[in-house]
Amino acid sequence: MEPLFLLDLVKAKEDEFAFSTAPTSFVNMIVHLFEKPLDDLAKIPDLEPKILSDLYKAIKNETFIKAPMKPREKPVDPDPKVVPRKLPDENKWIWDIIEEVRNTLLVGIQPLAEYKKSWDEYLDLLKLDPDEFTRNIEMEENAWEVEQIQTEIAQIIEKEKRLRQRLPEKIQVSFFEINCKEMKETLAEKYQTLQKNFIDMIAKRARFQAQAIFNDFQQIQNKIREHPTNIEKLTDIRDYINNLPG
């Protein structure tokens, strides 16, 4: 069966997965397509009284053609034992057809909720702010070692790979085609941002370490370049050089 409608999987304001259009809206729209022509049909003026005005002199108000109408509430078959006997609603068939269409559509949208639920395993990732996550790690009292950060990067790369393999860009569910491409990319980009932030964290530490080494070297260089003014000063410089780490 070819899909009849298109939907996008999107992020709701509550940081949850949702569809771009509520599935029930499709049910209401199609039912409305059945009901509106009936309403419009009942508004067509009856031309006979106008053409044969001499025969309809008693009719002053505008009349409309007799058309089938959907009952305002579900028709109930009259009790044959009741006297005087009531006739069944002649438009009951319209009610039955429209309700059958409605119920069929309601059954057809049920698999959408089940499919959306299959994405719940990615809810934590959807709610994740990669910048805040890595910022909190940098502020921890026990700083992560570089090896730990490298392990985390490798795990993130693997998670992104699995995500891209598992999640489709589009899929047909019931008579709907669901576009998942943008949501898939949104989740994958969070992993990419995490990778970048952790790599930047390592680079930042490397810069700090390099700067610290440079500062220590500069301090050593300044010390050994001092001009001794006496034997005590010379001895002090010699001892400083001898005590430098090898």
Side-chain angles (χ1 to χ4, degrees):
M1 178 181 68
E2 292 295 322
L4 301 178
F5 307 104
L6 298 177
L7 281 173
D8 292 327
L9 188 67
V10 298
K11 177 183 178 181
K13 293 181 180 179
E14 300 80 10
D15 284 341
E16 295 179 348
F17 295 106
F19 293 116
S20 52
T21 303
T24 52
S25 297
F26 292 94
V27 176
N28 297 333
M29 176 189 67
I30 295 175
V31 170
H32 179 69
L33 290 177
F34 280 83
E35 294 176 337
K36 189 175 186 304
L38 293 173
D39 293 339
D40 293 341
L41 191 62
K43 296 175 183 178
I44 298 177
D46 188 354
L47 298 179
E48 185 174 336
K50 295 182 179 181
I51 297 173
L52 303 175
S53 56
D54 292 340
L55 300 178
Y56 294 90
K57 291 180 179 180
I59 299 177
K60 302 297 182 181
N61 298 325
E62 185 175 27
T63 59
F64 301 91
I65 66 172
K66 181 176 176 55
M69 298 180 62
K70 179 189 175 185
R72 294 188 177 183
E73 57 186 27
K74 183 178 181 180
V76 178
D77 292 332
D79 188 347
K81 298 179 181 179
V82 175
V83 179
R85 185 177 180 184
K86 294 183 179 181
L87 296 175
D89 192 323
E90 63 180 346
N91 292 318
K92 180 177 181 297
W93 64 275
I94 297 177
W95 175 279
D96 292 340
I97 289 176
I98 292 178
E99 288 306 302
E100 182 179 357
V101 170
R102 187 197 306 275
N103 292 332
T104 299
L105 293 171
L106 288 173
V107 171
I109 67 174
Q110 288 178 0
L112 293 176
E114 297 173 8
Y115 179 70
K116 182 166 67 74
K117 191 175 181 180
S118 70
W119 284 68
D120 284 354
E121 64 177 291
Y122 298 103
L123 272 176
D124 290 342
L125 179 60
L126 182 69
K127 298 176 182 179
L128 177 69
D129 182 337
D131 294 332
E132 182 180 0
F133 180 78
T134 50
R135 187 164 52 247
N136 290 338
I137 289 177
E138 285 188 292
M139 295 174 63
E140 286 183 3
E141 184 176 348
N142 298 322
W144 285 23
E145 298 293 337
V146 172
E147 292 77 10
Q148 186 178 359
I149 298 175
Q150 290 173 332
T151 300
E152 186 70 16
I153 292 173
Q155 292 176 350
I156 292 171
I157 292 174
E158 182 60 29
K159 288 178 181 178
E160 181 189 354
K161 180 181 177 181
R162 289 201 304 268
L163 180 145
R164 291 189 178 278
Q165 290 174 343
R166 291 183 59 187
L167 298 183
E169 294 192 352
K170 64 179 180 179
I171 187 173
Q172 180 172 343
V173 178
S174 186
F175 43 77
F176 291 87
E177 181 177 293
I178 304 175
N179 175 25
C180 310
K181 183 176 181 180
E182 291 187 14
M183 180 53 63
K184 178 179 178 179
E185 288 302 316
T186 296
L187 297 177
E189 285 173 6
K190 287 180 179 284
Y191 281 137
Q192 292 173 356
T193 302
L194 280 175
Q195 293 176 45
K196 178 181 179 300
N197 289 353
F198 278 120
I199 291 173
D200 289 345
M201 192 184 299
I202 293 176
K204 186 188 297 184
R205 291 192 183 182
R207 286 195 299 271
F208 287 156
Q209 291 175 353
Q211 186 63 47
I213 293 172
F214 175 79
N215 292 340
D216 290 344
F217 177 78
Q218 193 69 40
Q219 184 179 0
I220 294 171
Q221 191 176 46
N222 292 337
K223 181 69 176 177
I224 62 180
R225 283 183 175 180
E226 290 180 1
H227 295 287
T229 55
N230 51 51
I231 189 64
E232 289 80 6
K233 193 68 173 176
L234 179 62
T235 302
D236 181 55
I237 294 174
R238 186 188 62 188
D239 292 341
Y240 177 80
I241 294 174
N242 290 335
N243 291 326
L244 288 174

